[in-house]
Amino acid sequence: MASGAFITLEGVEGSGKTTQSRLLAEWLKAAGHRVTVTHEPGGTRAGQAIRAIFLDPGVSLEVAAELMLVLADRAQHVREKLRPALDSGEIVISDRYADSTVAYQGYGRGFDLNLLRELNRLATDNIMPDLTIVLDCKVATGLTRIHDRMNRAGDTVLDRFEGQAADFHGRVRQGFLEIAQQEPQRVSIVNAEEPLERVTAQIRQRVDRLLAGR
Ligand code: T5A
């Protein structure tokens, strides 16, 4: 049985997961916790290779192949990184995890949700987060942030998911909201339209509650 705490951040593109994962880790470390920050896909060496194919807009993938890739990434990630860190008592923060598969490949691509839950069970080895924060914002807000970030970096190429139509991203957003509705004990929604500091404060409040109850 894992003894650390497992926190995931989920949400649509550009909702602020990467930024908030970093800020949360800094805050927890300053409070004396041992923390691992990681992400999916790509949290391991094998995962980095998978991520490169998974996101490459020049690679055409059948949706079943897309699903298998992200599950392979997770299976490796859990066994190589997440479980050892949790077993050693660390707080693990993952930028995306199993809920992303339900939202993107289930609600977005149309895969059977029960089948995805079974496959997730295999990939995760039954390790589920103690707390999941869904950073919820309008699809347009997130995509505008991505475009602004790309402009600042002089980047012009959207990845395979960023380039999907708005209705795909709308279904993904709906997926996250429904997951939160189905599992209110684990999943908490934070309004990611709010200014950065306000979002950070909301996340800290929920993490404080989790840690106080342990
Ligand atoms: N995927 C993944 C699946 O299809 N199935 C799966 O099972 C899994 C695990 C991963 C892709 O893979 C798909 C989903 C994804 O499409 P990725 O590159 O890891 O791709 O992309 P994302 O996880 O979507 O991460 P992004 O970097 O695109 O977005 P973030 O992390 O949500 O946003 P962040 O923190 O980088 O912020 C974006 C910009 O907005 C600003 C930041 O400063 C930054 O410039 N920002 C704010 N601005 C104003 N107000 C706020 N509150 C802000 N918060 C952040």
Side-chain angles (χ1 to χ4, degrees):
M1 179 66 185
S3 54
F6 185 22
I7 301 167
T8 57
L9 277 86
E10 299 277 12
V12 294
E13 318 284 313
S15 52
K17 300 171 299 299
T18 309
T19 307
Q20 293 296 343
S21 297
R22 182 177 48 77
L23 292 171
L24 179 59
E26 284 169 7
W27 180 65
L28 288 169
K29 281 180 188 165
H33 295 283
R34 287 184 301 124
V35 181
T36 288
V37 190
T38 187
H39 62 279
E40 289 194 358
T44 62
R45 179 96 188 267
Q48 285 164 21
I50 293 171
R51 179 184 170 93
I53 304 172
F54 191 71
L55 295 185
D56 187 342
V59 171
S60 157
L61 282 177
E62 291 294 329
V63 289
E66 174 185 292
L67 171 63
M68 297 302 166
L69 280 175
V70 85
L71 291 169
D73 170 77
R74 182 159 309 126
Q76 185 67 29
H77 191 211
V78 164
R79 289 155 182 85
E80 181 180 324
K81 197 164 179 183
L82 293 186
R83 185 187 281 285
L86 289 169
D87 282 348
S88 80
E90 292 194 28
I91 297 178
V92 176
I93 301 167
S94 187
D95 177 352
R96 296 197 182 280
Y97 190 60
D99 295 319
S100 276
T101 309
V102 176
Y104 279 79
Q105 280 67 46
Y107 286 83
R109 300 286 195 219
F111 265 101
D112 179 74
L113 298 180
N114 289 325
L115 172 67
L116 287 185
R117 289 197 180 99
E118 282 305 307
L119 292 170
N120 255 336
R121 235 192 296 282
L122 173 69
T124 60
D125 203 16
N126 288 313
I127 294 193
M128 282 305 280
D130 300 297
L131 171 67
T132 294
I133 307 279
V134 170
L135 293 178
D136 181 56
C137 66
K138 292 191 210 97
V139 168
T141 303
L143 292 178
T144 301
R145 288 178 189 166
I146 300 281
H147 282 109
D148 289 348
R149 189 181 61 192
M150 286 174 71
N151 287 339
R152 286 196 300 273
D155 199 354
T156 53
V157 185
L158 291 169
D159 73 31
R160 233 166 42 77
F161 288 92
E162 290 161 354
Q164 292 287 315
D167 65 334
F168 172 84
H169 292 294
R171 291 196 298 278
V172 170
R173 181 186 184 196
Q174 187 57 31
F176 283 123
L177 294 176
E178 287 186 23
I179 292 168
Q181 212 169 36
Q182 289 154 11
E183 291 185 72
Q185 300 283 17
R186 172 176 70 86
V187 186
S188 201
I189 298 173
V190 166
N191 180 3
E193 298 274 347
E194 303 249 25
L196 200 68
E197 310 73 48
R198 177 100 187 102
V199 177
T200 305
Q202 294 286 316
I203 294 173
R204 287 181 182 176
Q205 219 176 65
R206 282 151 175 89
V207 172
D208 255 343
R209 217 178 296 148
L210 169 76
L211 297 180
R214 291 174 75 86

